[in-house]
Amino acid sequence: MKTDTLYQHGTLALLVPGLLTGTLTMKELLQHGDTGIGTGEGLDGELIILDGKPYQVNSRGEVHVVGDDFTLPFANSHFADYQPLMSVESASKTDLNQQILELSGLQNAFFSVKMTGTFSGVKTRAVAKSSQPYKSLAETAKQQSVFTRDEVAGTLIGYYSPQLFDGIAVGGFHHHFLADDHTFGGHLLDFAAVTGDVSIQLFSTLEQHLPVDNDDYRQHDFAKDNIKEDVHQAEG
């Protein structure tokens, strides 16, 4: 079991022109990790994998465990081996990210963040599943639902990618969230404050898996796409 390897299926860049077909099953993804994040075919909701169990937050805000045949165009996974980094009290999202980078010194490395605690002023989102013919990432991401909680206990799972790899992933932090009672979650847009414990896991290896069996992916000319701008607009 490789705990120093981050597995990534697809790239965020391939989502930009609307290559949203599910090209990996959840069963296959879980062979590469027991922890992770991702999205389903057609940007079907937001996924967070904890302790080997994949939870999907759909556009209605419902949380479900998805089956082995659930397919994904993009996902990250790894085998958890987090190491304690720090505890924080009433830290904003910006402050949290800044403290993690300053204390870890890992701005040019891939690593995962796990934070458990109590979050206030939380804002998450999930995108409604679209169907073929798929529109661009920018257009599809407009069909999102935003959810809020004044206060909620839960777990943040995120990944940090170096700016050098912006477009393959999101340069910087990419966080998902799941409430302890499994009634709330999604892509973490923002929170006002969090109190809890932060752990990180450093990766020396990025295992990049591409959907080479998909004709649309093989034939697409990415030189025509405004990759970085559209990725950051959709993720932000």
Side-chain angles (χ1 to χ4, degrees):
M1 188 170 65
K2 298 179 180 178
T3 59
D4 63 350
T5 299
L6 170 61
Y7 177 84
Q8 179 170 293
H9 172 70
T11 70
L12 283 175
L14 68 81
L15 303 182
V16 168
L19 299 177
L20 308 180
T21 299
T23 47
L24 187 79
T25 66
M26 182 57 69
K27 182 177 181 179
E28 292 169 320
L29 179 64
L30 291 176
Q31 293 172 3
H32 299 276
D34 54 19
T35 305
I37 63 176
T39 188
E41 180 169 277
L43 295 190
D44 186 10
E46 305 285 348
L47 288 149
I48 180 168
I49 304 169
L50 287 171
D51 300 321
K53 187 167 288 189
Y55 301 90
Q56 178 212 32
V57 182
N58 65 25
S59 61
R60 296 180 296 278
E62 301 162 342
V63 181
H64 301 285
V65 176
V66 299
D68 285 347
D69 58 349
F70 187 87
T71 59
L72 309 97
F74 174 82
N76 291 118
S77 70
H78 72 279
F79 290 104
D81 185 26
Y82 289 96
Q83 304 301 313
L85 179 70
M86 64 181 180
S87 296
V88 298
E89 185 171 351
S90 299
S92 69
K93 183 185 175 190
T94 299
D95 288 343
L96 176 68
N97 289 345
Q98 184 176 345
Q99 288 182 49
I100 290 171
L101 274 184
E102 288 179 352
L103 193 56
S104 69
L106 296 176
Q107 64 267 21
N108 290 320
F110 285 90
F111 64 90
S112 180
V113 177
K114 181 177 183 179
M115 174 156 198
T116 56
T118 301
F119 297 72
S120 62
V122 185
K123 182 186 294 186
T124 65
R125 72 101 190 272
V127 178
K129 182 179 181 179
S130 60
S131 55
Q132 293 181 328
Y134 297 122
K135 296 181 180 179
S136 69
L137 175 65
E139 286 299 313
T140 305
K142 292 178 181 178
Q143 306 303 314
Q144 68 177 13
S145 300
V146 176
F147 314 107
T148 60
R149 286 286 175 90
D150 291 336
E151 186 170 284
V152 58
T155 299
L156 174 159
I157 292 289
Y159 291 94
Y160 176 87
S161 303
Q163 293 299 329
L164 179 65
F165 290 84
D166 199 16
I168 294 175
V170 181
F173 288 98
H174 181 183
H175 299 317
H176 285 200
F177 179 81
L178 182 68
D180 287 346
D181 63 6
H182 298 169
T183 63
F184 174 81
H187 174 91
L188 189 56
L189 292 172
D190 202 5
F191 57 82
V194 61
T195 297
D197 299 317
V198 181
S199 298
I200 64 171
Q201 184 172 347
L202 172 64
F203 306 113
S204 60
T205 300
L206 171 66
E207 184 178 346
Q208 178 68 67
H209 183 258
L210 297 173
V212 293
D213 293 330
N214 181 268
D215 288 340
D216 291 335
Y217 171 74
R218 285 207 310 268
Q219 296 166 11
H220 184 76
D221 181 6
F222 287 94
K224 300 176 181 179
D225 299 323
N226 192 1
I227 292 172
K228 290 187 178 181
E229 182 177 328
D230 285 359
V231 164
H232 281 272
Q233 179 181 346
E235 290 301 312

